Amino acid sequence: MIPSQFDAKTIEQKWYDYWMKNNYFHSTPDQRTPYTITIPPPNVTGVLHMGHMLNNTIQDVLIRRARLKGFNACWVPGTDHASIATEAKVVAKLKAEGINKNDLTREEFLAHAWEWTDKYGGVILDQLKKLGASCDWERTKFTMDPEMSASVIRSFVDLYNKGQIYRGYRMVNWDPEAKTTLSDEEVIYEEQQGKLYFINYKIEGSSDYLTVATTRPETIFGDTAICINPNDERFRHLKGKKAIVPIAGRIIPIIEDEYVDVEFGTGCLKVTPAHDMNDKTLGEKHNLEIIDIFNDDATLNSFGLHYEGKDRFVVRTEIAKELEANGSLAKTETHLNKVGTSERTKAVIEPRLSDQWFLRMEDLVKPAIKAVLETEEIKLYPSRFNNTYRHWLENIRDWNISRQLWWGQQIPAYFYGDGKEDFVVAETKEAALKLAQEKLSNPNLQISDLRQDADALDTWFSSWLWPIAVFGGIMEPENEDFKYYYPTNDLVTGPDILFFWVARMIIAGYEYAGEKPFTNVYLTGLVRDSQRRKMSKSLGNSPDPLDLIEKFGADGVRVGLLLSASAGNDILFDEELCNQGRSFTNKIWNAFRLIKGWEVAEIPQPESSKVAIEWYEAKLQQTLIEIEDHFEKYRISDALMAIYKLVWDDFCSWFLEMIKPAYQQPIDSITFAKAIAMLESNLKLLHPFMPFLTEEIWQLIDETRTSDPKKALIIAQWPEMKSFNKNLITDFENIMEVISGVRSIRKDKNIPFKDTIELKAVNNDKASTYFDAVVTKLGNITSYDYVTEKVDGALSFRVNSNEYFVPITGNIDVEAEIKKLTEELEYNKGFLKSVQAKLSNEKFVSGAPEKVIEIERKKEADAQSKIATIEQSLASLK
């Protein structure tokens, strides 16, 4: 017995377990062509959100389709250690337990971090299974797995030995909340309304003073000079003199440099080399002292005097009051300023001088620019992101790859002395010892004499190797998996990490494998709510994906998301989309139940069924071509919509109606077999989008399939493309209008379908008569004749130039019909008059948008057509 309702919850678990049991997701190298995707690894302790749902649904669609098309499909899952985010969570957890990270050794802290990861890690991968993700779970990777970490360390050592990695004392972006440096790309600049403070600095040995404008009065404790433009006549008298820093009382030189913009602020610039990139450059040029006034959490240190220990923003408010009180604050003005914030923690970035590790990018980036922008070896979808890609890579700066964190791959640099250059770089301590002994010519040096750099590597420095490292391509570049699966085929990700991850993987691919890491990059949009707001917990507009699956079924949610997910465009998510997906699920289920409910007999095949089958086979082939084109262009949403229309409109609304046997009558065996074959073709097209429903129906069609794993839908064969008769499709489009015309007359005149009618046609178009049997069946027509003249005393309608007449029977009151049509005619004439008046109004036509004019012209044409049809019907009745 086939249940009346599709029970998604039971069926989803049943078929996922079946797929897992029979190892359909697992791939090993063989003679087939590989099709490979590596998952963008989510944070190891993350949970599924709507962005993951969209991204992984698209990946699953691509991988399931590849399987059906005979490729050796391999989808590698995994998670990212997300050093900043994970370390912050562990620190917060320890704090709640009364433990301070600074009181722990690195090993003790990492033990807590691994405990956290083991407890919460991988939850997101289990959640993806609920969605139906057909990943090769046996290949699951974690960026901190021993072999993955070894790949990262080897990469660092290799690049260092090539002279690409260097250690430098540089101005870096400091995140005071995460207490680590960030790369330039991890800093988001936001316009913020602040204040411009005009501060008076006394001139040493006089009662004069100069005024400096700054947005950061708290940094005066780090001032080591005042700079003026040598061409500024206003300050000639200050040359060679010195100024006194307010509150601090320190005496600092007044220097000259053309860098100062005489038009900005007061024309005098306070120079704070420790806390501003441009000031640092000035400081180096003029050999100025460097005073770092901040602790690592952006509180002031002892240089901040009585403000020591206070947060920089608290100090900003308090110092303004003190400056005002002692007469040093001339005035304040509101000021719109671009402020750098941390992409991860949202904290305001603090420029800070620090010893860090950098990767030179100038040469490494060249093959990546060429591959996307010149040879197009790698294609971005949509291509408009090429401009973004170009901007990032053509303006790239050296990459700060060190982070002041413990969770991550520890930098493999080993110090053997106190000097900044007293280090060696090696994959292991043993190898480092050997290098250090050689460098110092000291064979007595011990491992205990070495101190490894405390910093960890940027998380992106591990994930940039992802497509290579998951197949062991860094450690064993000649291994079978790497040679077979690399380069991968498609990458599905968000445009927000186009530079952070995608571009860097391309760079790593050419550096380590000498070729691209993937061929196509599909960039999804952001999932927003119906008000175009980004989804977030704080707004309460981000539904729990698992709740949606519980409510609408995984197939319903997948369809709902993809119907509106065009590449690169944001998705305006509404639960109604998932409801639409569930309705589609029910439609397919009910169509299957209808077919399986028919009694089959060895009787002659009706002509209407024969031509219906020929038409649907042609329609299927046409749709196959259409969806192939959509997939080639990564228009996944359009591909789904083409299948949706084929199944809902063509199969359910037309094909099944054309072949459906009369009430309580059997269907012929030939038509039934073809109907099942057409349904199975539909299921193959639908399977990548709706895996659970389609596998359930596929197995119910032939219950022997369940006992033979080789017969499962997941590994069936994609429908074969064949030549087809296009005329069948265009001819049937006219037939649909004829049938709709007949149905409209029945509806308007309340003629029940069980009552037969006659149909006469004047075939002015010389239209094909091939589908006459279908018209006769779907219209319940006793006789369908072609005539040369209009038929009097009949209701009529027109399709193109052809005229169709339904002779009036005793069921219709002719006088009442004439009255009704006359009223309808008058109404439509009045409507036409109002539309034409609008279109003849020059002011309206010249001022209205083109789209509005088009709508009005269509109204005019429709009204004229309707008037002609009514007048024809009245003439026939009179």
Side-chain angles (χ1 to χ4, degrees):
M1 289 292 292
I2 299 168
S4 60
Q5 298 290 324
F6 176 69
D7 181 6
K9 201 182 299 183
T10 307
I11 285 164
E12 285 166 8
Q13 193 59 55
K14 176 176 78 172
W15 290 118
Y16 204 89
D17 290 346
Y18 180 81
W19 295 327
M20 289 287 285
K21 177 187 169 187
N22 289 289
N23 225 17
Y24 296 121
F25 305 160
H26 184 54
S27 170
T28 53
D30 60 25
Q31 75 287 349
R32 290 174 294 167
T33 303
Y35 174 84
T36 316
I37 295 178
T38 55
I39 201 170
N43 289 4
V44 65
T45 58
V47 292
L48 201 63
H49 59 59
M50 296 304 293
H52 294 132
M53 288 277 280
L54 172 66
N55 185 292
N56 287 283
T57 296
I58 291 168
Q59 289 176 80
D60 197 45
V61 167
L62 294 173
I63 211 81
R64 286 181 182 272
R65 178 171 172 270
R67 240 182 242 119
L68 291 169
K69 288 177 81 72
F71 291 96
N72 188 352
C74 180
W75 183 13
V76 181
T79 50
D80 187 89
H81 65 277
S83 54
I84 294 177
T86 305
E87 182 151 328
K89 286 180 180 178
V90 176
V91 168
K93 175 218 173 221
L94 292 172
K95 191 176 180 181
E97 295 170 0
I99 303 170
N100 188 322
K101 175 193 169 185
N102 297 327
D103 295 335
L104 301 175
T105 64
R106 187 188 198 106
E107 289 68 29
E108 287 169 340
F109 176 80
L110 289 177
H112 285 286
W114 277 109
E115 182 187 343
W116 173 271
T117 301
D118 292 340
K119 184 175 180 180
Y120 297 104
V123 169
I124 194 167
L125 298 183
D126 288 333
Q127 291 176 326
L128 285 177
K129 294 174 184 177
K130 297 287 184 190
L131 184 65
S134 57
C135 301
D136 187 345
W137 299 111
E138 292 178 38
R139 292 184 177 274
T140 302
K141 299 292 185 206
F142 173 44
T143 50
M144 286 278 281
D145 284 342
E147 69 275 15
M148 297 293 282
S149 286
S151 298
V152 176
I153 298 304
R154 178 162 294 182
S155 167
F156 183 97
V157 173
D158 173 67
L159 290 166
Y160 176 79
N161 289 336
K162 289 174 180 174
Q164 298 287 60
I165 286 177
Y166 63 93
R167 194 164 186 258
Y169 188 63
R170 300 282 187 278
M171 181 71 72
V172 294
N173 306 300
W174 182 259
D175 180 338
E177 189 168 318
K179 296 181 184 176
T180 182
T181 57
L182 301 177
S183 66
D184 293 334
E185 295 74 33
E186 290 169 298
V187 179
I188 309 298
Y189 286 92
E190 301 172 351
E191 282 199 336
Q192 293 184 5
Q193 190 77 49
K195 288 181 180 178
L196 198 58
Y197 300 82
F198 291 78
I199 303 172
N200 295 331
Y201 287 65
K202 287 184 179 178
I203 306 302
E204 185 189 28
S206 83
S207 58
D208 288 348
Y209 61 86
L210 57 83
T211 306
V212 170
T214 179
T215 57
R216 307 184 65 200
E218 69 278 10
T219 61
I220 63 172
F221 297 113
D223 291 353
T224 54
I226 299 291
C227 190
I228 56 174
N229 191 308
N231 304 313
D232 194 334
E233 296 291 337
R234 294 173 296 173
F235 303 115
R236 278 189 179 278
H237 65 289
L238 296 178
K239 287 184 180 183
K241 296 192 175 180
K242 294 183 178 181
I244 302 169
V245 178
I247 300 175
R250 272 187 304 105
I251 296 170
I252 56 175
I254 297 173
I255 61 173
E256 297 175 82
D257 200 289
E258 290 185 350
Y259 166 76
V260 177
D261 182 356
V262 296
E263 300 294 329
F264 180 77
T266 64
C268 294
L269 178 76
K270 64 191 280 299
V271 185
T272 318
H275 300 293
D276 183 273
M277 181 65 76
N278 296 318
D279 288 10
K280 175 182 174 285
T281 304
L282 275 174
E284 287 172 346
K285 184 176 177 181
H286 295 275
N287 199 27
L288 299 177
E289 184 185 2
I290 294 171
I291 302 174
D292 185 348
I293 67 166
F294 289 121
N295 296 312
D296 60 7
D297 61 354
T299 56
L300 272 69
N301 59 25
S302 59
F303 285 108
L305 305 178
H306 48 285
Y307 293 107
E308 183 179 0
K310 290 188 175 182
D311 180 78
R312 56 188 163 159
F313 296 120
V314 172
V315 175
R316 183 172 301 175
T317 303
E318 292 183 359
I319 203 170
K321 290 177 181 174
E322 184 174 353
L323 289 168
E324 187 175 19
N326 67 24
S328 299
L329 185 63
K331 62 174 180 175
T332 61
E333 292 178 358
T334 55
H335 180 68
L336 195 62
N337 196 22
K338 273 200 169 181
V339 178
T341 59
S342 167
E343 187 254 346
R344 284 283 182 192
T345 66
K346 312 305 177 193
V348 172
I349 293 303
E350 195 60 58
R352 192 181 194 195
L353 282 165
S354 176
D355 285 310
Q356 301 291 333
W357 294 90
F358 295 87
L359 175 60
R360 299 183 204 278
M361 300 302 292
E362 187 180 354
D363 292 330
L364 284 175
V365 80
K366 289 174 183 174
I369 292 173
K370 185 179 178 183
V372 174
L373 303 173
E374 295 173 23
T375 64
E376 295 188 350
E377 265 194 298
I378 299 170
K379 291 187 176 178
L380 307 184
Y381 295 89
S383 59
R384 69 171 186 269
F385 284 107
N386 282 9
N387 291 332
T388 309
Y389 184 89
R390 180 189 299 278
H391 173 75
W392 277 110
L393 268 63
E394 289 183 352
N395 294 282
I396 202 164
R397 295 166 68 180
D398 288 357
W399 177 10
N400 174 5
I401 56 173
S402 48
R403 297 291 178 269
Q404 288 60 58
L405 301 166
W406 284 349
W407 179 242
Q409 287 88 12
Q410 191 172 355
I411 289 174
Y414 298 85
F415 290 83
Y416 50 79
D418 296 328
K420 287 189 176 184
E421 301 301 318
D422 294 347
F423 66 85
V424 291
V425 171
E427 290 183 42
T428 63
K429 265 192 174 182
E430 291 72 23
L433 178 63
K434 192 175 178 184
L435 286 173
Q437 287 172 337
E438 290 171 1
K439 198 171 179 181
L440 291 172
S441 301
N442 179 6
N444 297 319
L445 197 71
Q446 302 294 312
I447 278 185
S448 57
D449 297 324
L450 301 181
R451 173 180 55 82
Q452 189 172 355
D453 193 306
D455 288 354
L457 285 159
D458 180 7
T459 301
W460 297 112
F461 191 81
S462 65
S463 54
W464 80 319
L465 302 174
W466 184 250
I468 305 174
V470 295
F471 296 115
I474 298 291
M475 303 306 290
E476 295 179 66
E478 294 302 311
N479 82 77
E480 184 186 19
D481 273 8
F482 183 62
K483 291 174 80 173
Y484 180 76
Y485 292 112
Y486 188 93
T488 67
N489 296 75
D490 295 325
L491 175 73
V492 181
T493 189
D496 52 327
I497 53 173
L498 178 58
F499 178 80
F500 289 130
W501 191 47
V502 179
R504 286 168 175 166
M505 281 191 289
I506 295 171
I507 292 167
Y510 286 103
E511 175 66 15
Y512 286 108
E515 60 181 324
K516 62 187 177 184
F518 30 71
T519 302
N520 305 294
V521 181
Y522 179 99
L523 297 159
T524 67
L526 284 173
V527 183
R528 298 183 180 274
D529 67 13
S530 56
Q531 297 175 47
R532 297 186 175 273
R533 298 177 302 176
K534 190 174 179 179
M535 289 192 165
S536 69
K537 286 180 183 176
S538 59
L539 287 174
N541 63 347
S542 182
D544 184 331
L546 296 183
D547 288 346
L548 291 176
I549 290 173
E550 180 80 15
K551 187 175 179 182
F552 299 106
D555 291 329
V557 175
R558 288 165 68 115
V559 169
L561 268 174
L562 289 180
L563 279 176
S564 59
S566 55
N569 295 324
D570 289 351
I571 292 112
L572 303 184
F573 179 76
D574 191 316
E575 278 199 20
E576 186 52 39
L577 291 167
C578 296
N579 196 32
Q580 187 180 346
R582 180 172 59 183
S583 297
F584 188 40
T585 302
N586 292 335
K587 184 80 171 177
I588 299 161
W589 182 255
N590 289 332
F592 164 62
R593 287 182 65 240
L594 175 70
I595 296 169
K596 288 294 276 185
W598 291 335
E599 181 189 341
V600 185
E602 295 300 326
I603 56 175
Q605 183 185 36
E607 180 66 17
S608 57
S609 295
K610 177 179 170 290
V611 298
I613 290 163
E614 289 177 10
W615 165 76
Y616 191 74
E617 284 177 334
K619 193 70 184 173
L620 176 71
Q621 288 299 322
Q622 182 192 53
T623 306
L624 264 176
I625 292 170
E626 187 184 343
I627 63 177
E628 283 299 319
D629 182 58
H630 288 319
F631 270 109
E632 279 177 18
K633 294 167 182 168
Y634 290 82
R635 297 197 299 244
I636 312 296
S637 178
D638 292 342
L640 173 59
M641 184 52 77
I643 300 167
Y644 184 97
K645 287 176 179 176
L646 175 76
V647 173
W648 190 296
D649 297 339
D650 301 320
F651 186 76
C652 297
S653 299
W654 286 103
F655 179 69
L656 293 184
E657 288 300 310
M658 287 191 270
I659 66 167
K660 186 168 70 176
Y663 181 62
Q664 291 190 336
Q665 295 299 307
I667 188 171
D668 69 278
S669 58
I670 295 172
T671 301
F672 181 78
K674 281 290 187 181
I676 290 294
M678 295 299 99
L679 174 62
E680 288 183 338
S681 292
N682 292 344
L683 293 176
K684 290 173 182 178
L685 298 182
L686 284 164
H687 179 74
F689 300 93
M690 308 174 79
F692 297 109
L693 168 77
T694 51
E695 189 73 75
E696 173 73 1
I697 295 175
W698 178 268
Q699 301 279 355
L700 285 172
I701 287 171
D702 180 354
E703 293 182 4
T704 65
R705 289 170 172 165
T706 310
S707 57
D708 186 353
K710 292 178 184 174
K711 292 182 178 178
L713 175 59
I714 190 174
I715 52 166
Q717 190 175 351
W718 187 256
E720 186 184 347
M721 279 191 177
K722 300 173 185 174
S723 60
F724 64 97
N725 185 351
K726 292 179 183 176
N727 291 335
L728 286 172
I729 296 168
T730 52
D731 289 347
F732 191 70
E733 285 170 4
N734 289 331
I735 296 305
M736 287 176 176
E737 290 191 51
V738 174
I739 293 164
S740 295
V742 171
R743 286 173 173 170
S744 292
I745 285 176
R746 280 188 175 278
K747 183 183 174 187
D748 292 346
K749 310 314 170 203
N750 294 316
I751 304 171
F753 184 76
K754 63 183 176 61
D755 293 351
T756 59
I757 57 172
E758 294 178 19
L759 183 65
K760 313 288 184 186
V762 178
N763 193 359
N764 295 322
D765 287 336
K766 303 281 190 294
S768 169
T769 59
Y770 192 69
F771 290 101
D772 284 1
V774 172
V775 175
T776 301
K777 176 178 180 178
L778 295 186
N780 195 13
I781 294 164
T782 50
S783 66
Y784 181 11
D785 302 315
Y786 288 91
V787 294
T788 55
E789 299 290 336
K790 294 179 180 178
V791 178
D792 292 331
L795 299 168
S796 66
F797 62 91
R798 184 186 291 268
V799 175
N800 298 325
S801 298
N802 279 7
E803 296 174 274
Y804 296 87
F805 303 90
V806 177
I808 292 175
T809 66
N811 294 337
I812 297 175
D813 183 337
V814 176
E815 291 302 319
E817 187 61 30
I818 289 172
K819 185 184 177 189
K820 181 182 173 186
L821 286 171
T822 303
E823 289 172 356
E824 206 175 321
L825 180 64
E826 290 307 312
Y827 169 79
N828 279 281
K829 281 183 175 179
F831 177 75
L832 177 62
K833 192 176 178 182
S834 68
V835 173
Q836 288 176 331
K838 203 182 280 187
L839 287 170
S840 63
N841 184 331
E842 226 175 280
K843 193 175 178 184
F844 169 76
V845 174
S846 60
E850 187 58 40
K851 199 167 184 180
V852 172
I853 304 293
E854 275 177 39
I855 291 167
E856 291 303 315
R857 285 188 177 134
K858 188 176 185 307
K859 285 180 186 176
E860 180 185 38
D862 289 346
Q864 287 170 334
S865 174
K866 202 161 189 180
I867 287 167
T869 302
I870 295 168
E871 286 176 338
Q872 187 181 348
S873 293
L874 279 169
S876 298
L877 290 170
K878 289 174 183 176

